[in-house]
Amino acid sequence: MDGTRDCSPQTGAAEPFLLAKLIPNRSHELDWTSGCETWGVAFSPDGSYFAWSQGHHIVKLVPWPLEDHKINSKSTHHLKADESSEDQCGEKLIDCGQTVWGLSFGSSPSNNRKQSSEDQHKSKLQSSDTILATGLTNGEIKLWKVPTAHLLHYLKGHQSVVRSFAFITNEDFMLVSASRDRTLRVWDLKQNGKLLHVLNGHNQWVYCCAVSPDSTMLCSVGGGRMVLLWSTVTYTVLRKLEGHGGDVVSCEYSPNGALLATASYDTYVIVWDPYTGESLMKLRHCSPLASLDVDEGFRTGFVRAVSFSQQGLNVTSVADDGLLRIWCLDLQRPIYVAPLTNGLCCTFSPHGSVLATGTRDGHVTFWIVSKVLPTLQHICRNAVRHMMTTHQVMLLSVPKKIKQFLIYKF
């Protein structure tokens, strides 16, 4: 279904509850100089830590959830990220030495296979270790152990800004990095960051990458309207998705792997079926009148980031028009709209209903989004799509309407 929607706030759209705002505790001279942006926000896979790039080379690692006395205080909306609290509550300041453009958590898989003492000695990672990957301006990657913030690996190879990461966590443990040097690189973290593959397919900057929940498929997006899907077995291109009219800057798979959302400077978020490459819906972020003026429409309608809710019912988008939107996929319209000036990134927490957003001034804002009780139909579809691809669903001996529902053709 290719349904377009106007970006203007919809009648009846609610506003998410503002939970907290973290503000870097830095000198005023640094506040509005280049390099202060929050390009990345992330929750650890188990939901116990939150990290954000607060600008000027610094990443802040914070235990999650935030302390109760902070959440309940009147200053909830303006919390200073104070360096003096580092030892008292487990917060860590990480100086990466370069502006941080990419940020992501990953956890090494539990190792049920017996490793030789030689293999254990070679690897710095233990089973179920959590690491934080940071991508820097100079093309280097630094990996930090959580929660100690000790430097684990220092990966070199990219020739320009490292913008995004995706972890492959099946029986292996690999890191995929996306860079402005037009390549993606695959690093084996069980071999201390050994470079395995260099993926060439983009002819302009690579802005973002994401791995499907079953770790079989990799999506990368970039300049020149490019959306590529790769096999994580052969590391060859499976298909190219066509439909955007501008640079594509963000991508994410739904938790069940059945959907892929991409955000673009063309003012759209497109939701795809990654198995067929079909565009299922297009969510518009500028008004029809603004789009008549191409320059103005593209400038104010740039979509910067997209993220799925943990139930897969909603998609959040951040755009340059100063609005945060949470879209209901069934309705294909925003059900929550909130002001967010200079928003750059967004992500949902693994547990609960907290949304984190980052901005150009280095701030992070946390929003509480009302939990939606999924219908029995959605629960059944979710269970089926966790196990079956679109092609497998189409082979089921069930009525056509049920098939259409299972493959998100409402």
Side-chain angles (χ1 to χ4, degrees):
M1 181 181 295
D2 185 9
T4 61
R5 293 293 184 271
D6 178 28
C7 71
S8 56
Q10 302 291 319
T11 302
E15 185 171 317
F17 174 73
L18 184 61
L19 173 65
K21 186 173 184 178
L22 297 182
I23 302 173
N25 188 15
R26 60 194 179 207
S27 64
H28 180 72
E29 292 77 24
L30 292 176
D31 281 349
W32 299 108
T33 59
S34 178
C36 70
E37 302 89 351
T38 291
W39 290 107
V41 290
F43 290 94
S44 62
D46 65 358
S48 61
Y49 284 90
F50 174 79
W52 92 94
S53 55
Q54 60 177 228
H56 305 295
H57 311 173
I58 302 298
V59 169
K60 184 78 170 183
L61 181 65
V62 183
W64 186 265
L66 299 177
E67 295 179 0
D68 289 341
H69 75 270
K70 289 184 177 180
I71 295 298
N72 294 329
S73 72
K74 291 184 179 180
S75 62
T76 292
H77 296 173
H78 302 282
L79 302 177
K80 286 286 185 180
D82 189 353
E83 287 88 340
S84 64
S85 64
E86 182 172 335
D87 294 330
Q88 297 177 0
C89 60
E91 296 180 359
K92 301 290 183 182
L93 283 175
I94 304 174
D95 188 345
C96 296
Q98 295 275 332
T99 300
V100 179
W101 289 83
L103 185 73
S104 185
F105 282 100
S107 291
S108 59
S110 299
N111 192 357
N112 296 322
R113 294 178 298 178
K114 200 169 184 179
Q115 282 186 305
S116 67
S117 58
E118 182 180 357
D119 289 338
Q120 291 177 353
H121 178 72
K122 286 181 179 179
S123 177
K124 294 182 181 179
L125 282 173
Q126 302 299 317
S127 178
S128 301
D129 274 352
T130 299
I131 65 174
L132 177 65
T134 54
L136 310 181
T137 297
N138 62 359
E140 295 174 355
I141 299 168
K142 291 184 178 180
L143 303 181
W144 311 86
K145 191 167 184 177
V146 177
T148 62
H150 291 155
L151 182 63
L152 274 175
H153 300 299
Y154 192 12
L155 309 182
K156 297 182 179 181
H158 281 297
Q159 302 303 306
S160 187
V161 171
V162 178
R163 190 66 185 86
S164 176
F165 298 105
F167 285 89
I168 299 175
T169 54
N170 42 29
E171 67 274 7
D172 299 313
F173 188 37
M174 290 180 287
L175 175 71
V176 181
S177 55
S179 171
R180 285 185 181 177
D181 67 9
R182 308 180 183 183
T183 71
L184 297 106
R185 293 175 184 253
V186 183
W187 315 82
D188 188 340
L189 298 184
K190 285 191 173 181
Q191 297 188 60
N192 295 325
K194 178 182 178 181
L195 179 62
L196 296 181
H197 305 282
V198 178
L199 308 185
N200 295 285
H202 289 265
N203 53 23
Q204 296 185 33
W205 290 356
V206 188
Y207 284 94
C208 188
C209 62
V211 169
S212 61
D214 63 2
S215 293
T216 62
M217 197 182 306
L218 167 70
C219 175
S220 62
V221 299
R225 313 174 184 181
M226 191 73 74
V227 181
L228 297 180
L229 299 185
W230 309 75
S231 165
T232 57
V233 177
T234 62
Y235 290 100
T236 56
V237 175
L238 295 171
R239 60 186 60 88
K240 178 181 177 181
L241 306 185
E242 297 184 350
H244 279 297
D247 289 0
V248 189
V249 296
S250 180
C251 62
E252 186 169 292
Y253 284 90
S254 62
N256 64 10
L259 301 174
L260 171 70
T262 56
S264 170
Y265 289 166
D266 67 2
T267 76
Y268 284 102
V269 166
I270 299 182
V271 180
W272 314 81
D273 184 326
Y275 297 102
T276 66
E278 182 179 1
S279 170
L280 299 175
M281 63 188 78
K282 299 180 75 172
L283 310 176
R284 190 186 182 110
H285 290 70
C286 73
S287 68
L289 290 177
S291 65
L292 294 177
D293 184 338
V294 175
D295 292 335
E296 181 68 15
F298 270 56
R299 182 167 60 83
T300 59
F302 278 4
V303 188
R304 295 285 176 176
V306 65
S307 181
F308 276 97
S309 66
Q310 293 308 305
Q311 293 177 328
L313 294 168
N314 303 321
V315 164
T316 294
S317 60
V318 172
D320 280 359
D321 61 1
L323 292 177
L324 161 73
R325 296 172 177 82
I326 301 179
W327 304 76
C328 172
L329 294 184
D330 287 344
L331 301 175
Q332 297 186 50
R333 65 173 178 82
I335 54 173
Y336 294 101
V337 177
L340 182 67
T341 303
N342 293 324
L344 290 176
C345 53
C346 61
T347 189
F348 275 96
S349 62
H351 311 297
S353 55
V354 175
L355 174 71
T357 56
T359 64
R360 287 190 178 277
D361 53 16
H363 299 179
V364 174
T365 305
F366 298 100
W367 311 83
I368 291 183
V369 182
S370 299
K371 289 187 177 180
V372 177
L373 183 65
T375 64
L376 181 59
Q377 287 178 319
H378 175 76
I379 293 173
C380 293
R381 178 174 60 186
N382 205 36
V384 170
R385 294 314 307 268
H386 266 294
M387 300 182 296
M388 303 182 74
T389 68
T390 301
H391 303 297
Q392 292 170 329
V393 169
M394 295 306 295
L395 296 176
L396 292 175
S397 298
V398 296
K400 182 179 179 181
K401 285 188 176 181
I402 295 180
K403 286 184 181 180
Q404 296 293 300
F405 179 76
L406 291 175
I407 62 174
Y408 290 84
K409 290 188 176 180
F410 306 104

